[in-house]
């Protein structure tokens, strides 16, 4: 402002010198130069002060940028370069090329069903901040660039309505249709692309290959209410069946897509208006096989940590390496709070909660994985192979025994002691206490605008919930979540159930809330259909957590976090506040394999027509990626899995591709579960 004023005044001095003496001229000239010099000095002083004020913020931003850049670079190198180089530049290693030379061709139409977060989402209507993004991706592919350009706008448009679980006013985000919608989750990071290319080599194309895109944020029934996604899938399967000579369809769901298609199996045979009206014989007529990849049939414990604190092991590790970055008040990031606000509007997250309660996941002193041991020095798990004819014994390794079994049944423990002591040494169950606090929940918050539901809780309640030496099992943790996330749980429990049915003939199980839980629904009457449980093993997978109260007691902060300072002894399953078990890095073996190993094996009350089930496990090997990786998403490029899918699509049965292939302890775990069949 001062420099602008001087620029306006300078002509006055020049004009004033015309009628003045030389001495006056000299004085004015000196005055003019003095003003200019003063102005320059003022500028320098202001710049120096401004630089001093910004130096701290600049340094913090530089460090944050460096960490984020390094993080994403390593992620890119690990998840992108190796799979891309090996699979795409060495085509002879793609199983379809070899199988095609052997004369194998596609026979049965194939439907692919993506899981949570792997399908693209695009904008159809938005707020003014989203101008220019019509039909542009907000999720998947290049959609993540909008996170950097307009982060708050991006988060707002990915959120759903907190009461209905549907579109917020003035916003419409829809799934990207077709194969293009889920081939890559991010540039260079394949999901379905490698499998699609292999299918194309044996004759698949648009008429016999389909991607069943749906909005993975919604509850399964709401995908039908809002988008008619289930009706469109039914029509597409019927069309492909007729257009390909009445050949039955092979369905390949992945991750949460497994539960979504389980819901579809009940929906399609249920009469309208709740169901699709296909009749009791629809599945037997139209479906040959369901090849489930990385199935989360019985849920995943990491869904609990996501709801409770927006964390998993990766976030917890990052927080431990760079404390203060995610929670920084100076930088104003509040990254986890933003993630929690958005993800708690996604009903689908609750579909991934552990199902079956303590019967499946264990209680305070017992779990199916008792005697399971870990060896972190080799970053894998070892076991003694059981003497079962269907178990692959070629890779049996030395087992390292430990004195005390891990109490995996305590999915959430506050304090290390709560995760290891016998239940008799811990405080009594807090259920009554939680319900009492819930009844008196109304109070005046001093936090102003509520960022998360934690801001609507009293500090006293937060302290009582997170008191040391308290633990929660797969049964009691629902009471915990109903208290800390009441809006989300009230909304989602109308759409999902997580128990075990006493009597499946009870008419109440005709409601759609039970259809995605394999322990509360019957498989269709389709004795010639086959079901495969195909998943990776041998990778450390999150099973339970040790929590603590967050150091910060401020408003607009998540009050609980994984205690990364807690570690076990050498070769322990406890590392940085997380207990690990066998799995594919995301889904424990127990969730992925139990239904095929026991729940649906033969004729059971969950499988009354005796549909054949097959366990196909793919063993992890150290330092592998791409064509040999068995991690939850990377397995989509695994050549052994792809070959199995191609052979089934070409007409082979489960017995013809080798029957069961088991490396894990899933059979022993299943035997330890006392479930009425």
């Amino acid at each position: 402002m001062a420099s602008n004023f001087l620029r306006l005044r300078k002509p006055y001095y020049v004009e004033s010198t015309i009628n003045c003496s030389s001495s006056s001229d000299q004085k004015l000239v000196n005055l003019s130069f003095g003003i200019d010099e003063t102005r320059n000095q003022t500028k320098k002083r202001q710049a120096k002060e401004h630089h001093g004020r910004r130096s701290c913020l600049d340094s913090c931003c530089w460090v944050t940028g460096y960490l984020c850049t390094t993080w994403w670079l390593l992620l890119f190198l690990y998840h992108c370069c190796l799979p891309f180089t090996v699979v795409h530049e060495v085509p002879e290693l793609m199983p379809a090329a070899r199988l095609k030379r052997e004369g194998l061709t596609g026979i049965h139409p194939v439907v692919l069903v993506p899981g949570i977060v792997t399908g693209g989402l695009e904008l159809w209507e938005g707020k003014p901040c989203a101008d220019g993004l019509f039909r542009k991706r907000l999720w998947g592919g290049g959609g993540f660039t909008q996170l950097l350009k307009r982060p708050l706008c991006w988060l707002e448009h990915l959120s759903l309505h907190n009461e209905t679980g549907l579109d917020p006013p003035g916003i419409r985000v829809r799934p990207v249709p077709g194969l293009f919608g889920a081939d890559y989750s991010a540039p260079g990071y394949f999901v379905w692309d490698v499998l699609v290319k292999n299918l194309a080599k044996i004759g698949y194309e648009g008429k016999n290959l389909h991607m069943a895109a749906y909005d993975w944020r919604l509850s399964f029934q709401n995908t039908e209410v809002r988008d008619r996604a289930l009706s469109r899938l039914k029509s597409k399967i019927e069309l492909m069946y007729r257009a390909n000579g009445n050949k039955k369809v092979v369905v390949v769901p992945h991750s949460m897509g497994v539960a979504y298609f389980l819901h579809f199996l009940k929906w399609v045979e249920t009469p309208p208006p709740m169901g699709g009206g296909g009749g009791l014989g629809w599945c037997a007529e139209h479906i040959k096989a369901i090849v489930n990849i990385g199935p989360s049939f019985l849920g995943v414990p990491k869904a609990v940590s996501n709801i409770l604190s927006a964390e998993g092991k990766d976030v917890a590790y990052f927080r431990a390496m760079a404390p203060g970055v995610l929670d920084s008040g100076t930088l104003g990031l509040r990254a986890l709070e933003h993630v929690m606000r958005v993800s708690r509007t996604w009903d689908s997250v609750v579909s991934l909660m552990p199902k079956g309660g303590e019967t499946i996941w264990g209680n305070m002193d017992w779990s199916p994985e008792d005697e399971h041991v870990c060896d972190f020095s080799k970053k894998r798990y070892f076991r003694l192979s059981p003497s079962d004819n269907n178990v692959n014994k070629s890779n049996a390794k030395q087992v390292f025994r430990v004195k005390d079994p891990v109490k995996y049944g305590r999915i959430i423990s506050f304090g290390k002691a709560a995760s290891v002591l016998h239940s008799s040494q811990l405080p009594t169950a807090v259920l009554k206490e939680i319900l009492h606090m819930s009844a008196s929940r109304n109070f005046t918050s001093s936090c102003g605008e509520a960022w998360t539901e934690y801001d609507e809780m009293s500090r006293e309640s937060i302290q009582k919930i997170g008191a040391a030496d308290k633990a929660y099992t797969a049964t009691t943790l629902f009471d915990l979540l109903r208290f800390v996330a009441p809006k989300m749980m009230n909304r989602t429990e109308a759409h999902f159930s997580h128990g075990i049915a006493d009597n499946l003939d009870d008419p109440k199980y005709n409601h759609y809330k039970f259809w995605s839980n394999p322990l509360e629904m019957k498989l269709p009457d389709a004795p010639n259909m086959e079901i495969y449980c195909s998943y990776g093993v041998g990778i450390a997978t999150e099973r339970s957590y040790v929590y603590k109260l967050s150091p910060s007691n401020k408003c607009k902060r998540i009050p609980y976090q994984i205690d990364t300072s807690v570690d076990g002894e050498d070769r322990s399953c406890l590392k940085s506040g997380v207990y690990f078990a066998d799995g594919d890095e995301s889904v424990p073996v127990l969730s992925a394999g139990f239904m095929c190993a026991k729940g649906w094996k033969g004729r059971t009350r969950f499988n009354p027509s005796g549909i054949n089930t097959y366990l196909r496990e793919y063993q992890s090997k150290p330092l592998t990626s791409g064509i040999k990786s068995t991690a939850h998403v990377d397995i989509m490029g695994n050549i052994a899995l792809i070959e199995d899918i191609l052979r089934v699509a070409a007409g082979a049965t489960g017995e013809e591709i080798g029957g069961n292939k088991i490396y894990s302890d899933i059979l022993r775990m299943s035997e330890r579960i006392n479930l009425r069949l």
Side-chain angles (χ1 to χ4, degrees), residues 300-305 307-308 352-355 357-358 361-362 408-413 430-431 434 465 471-485 489 493 498 543-545:
V300 291
K302 63 169 32 177
V304 181
S305 65
I307 297 173
L308 187 61
L352 295 171
M353 290 282 292
K355 301 178 180 72
E358 295 179 0
W361 294 93
Y408 284 117
R410 305 175 189 184
I411 293 181
I412 298 294
S413 300
V430 297
L431 174 60
I434 292 176
I465 290 290
Y472 301 86
T473 67
T475 297
T476 59
L477 65 84
F478 281 91
D479 296 311
L480 170 65
L481 296 180
R482 289 182 190 113
F483 183 73
V484 300
M489 297 304 291
E493 287 190 304
H498 301 81
R543 179 61 169 82
S544 59
Y545 305 88

Side-chain angles (χ1 to χ4, degrees), residues 294 369 372 379-381 535-543 580-593 617-620 630-632 635 664-665 669:
E369 297 98 331
H372 173 76
K379 296 183 180 180
R380 56 162 294 171
Y381 291 83
Y535 53 90
V537 299
I539 304 178
T541 302
E542 296 164 62
R543 179 61 169 82
F580 292 94
D582 195 2
D584 67 359
E585 198 172 43
S586 292
V587 182
V589 165
L590 177 64
S591 177
E617 295 186 342
Y618 304 88
Q619 190 176 37
S620 175
T630 64
H632 188 64
I635 197 173
S664 73
D665 284 339
M669 293 181 201

Side-chain angles (χ1 to χ4, degrees), residues 213-362:
Y214 64 98
D215 191 335
W216 44 262
R217 302 172 301 161
L218 301 174
S219 72
F220 302 155
Q221 192 69 8
N222 272 345
T223 65
E224 173 66 13
V225 171
R226 195 193 73 179
D227 300 337
R228 298 291 182 264
L230 299 174
S231 294
R232 288 187 285 110
L233 178 56
K234 174 178 179 284
S235 299
K236 188 65 178 181
I237 290 176
E238 292 170 343
L239 176 62
M240 295 173 74
Y241 171 78
R242 294 191 301 268
N244 291 275
N246 292 343
K247 295 293 184 183
K248 295 182 181 180
V249 172
V250 172
V251 183
V252 185
H254 174 243
S255 189
M256 191 190 76
V258 169
Y260 183 74
F261 195 74
L262 206 60
H263 181 98
F264 173 83
L265 292 179
K266 288 294 293 184
W267 174 88
V268 74
E269 293 190 342
T270 300
M274 188 176 294
L280 296 179
W282 191 94
C283 294
E285 179 182 357
H286 292 93
I287 301 176
K288 173 193 185 295
I290 306 172
V291 184
N292 300 291
I293 304 175
S296 54
F297 283 122
L298 300 179
V300 291
K302 63 169 32 177
V304 181
S305 65
N306 179 279
I307 297 173
L308 187 61
S309 63
E311 285 182 294
K313 66 178 178 66
D314 295 329
V315 173
Y317 290 172
F318 180 77
R319 173 185 259 156
M321 289 189 299
V325 173
L326 292 177
D327 311 303
S328 173
T330 303
L331 296 178
L333 295 180
R334 295 178 182 171
L336 298 184
E337 285 79 8
H338 283 298
V339 169
M340 176 174 285
R341 292 181 75 182
V342 175
S343 62
R344 282 194 179 183
T345 69
W346 298 345
D347 291 355
S348 59
V349 173
V350 175
S351 77
L352 295 171
M353 290 282 292
K355 301 178 180 72
E358 295 179 0
T359 300
I360 299 295
W361 294 93

Side-chain angles (χ1 to χ4, degrees), residues 9 30 59 134 162 222 301 372 386 402 422 501 506 579 590 671:
R9 292 296 304 272
N30 291 338
S59 299
F134 176 67
N162 207 23
N222 272 345
H372 173 76
V402 290
H422 191 273
D506 190 325
Y579 281 99
L590 177 64
E671 290 172 359

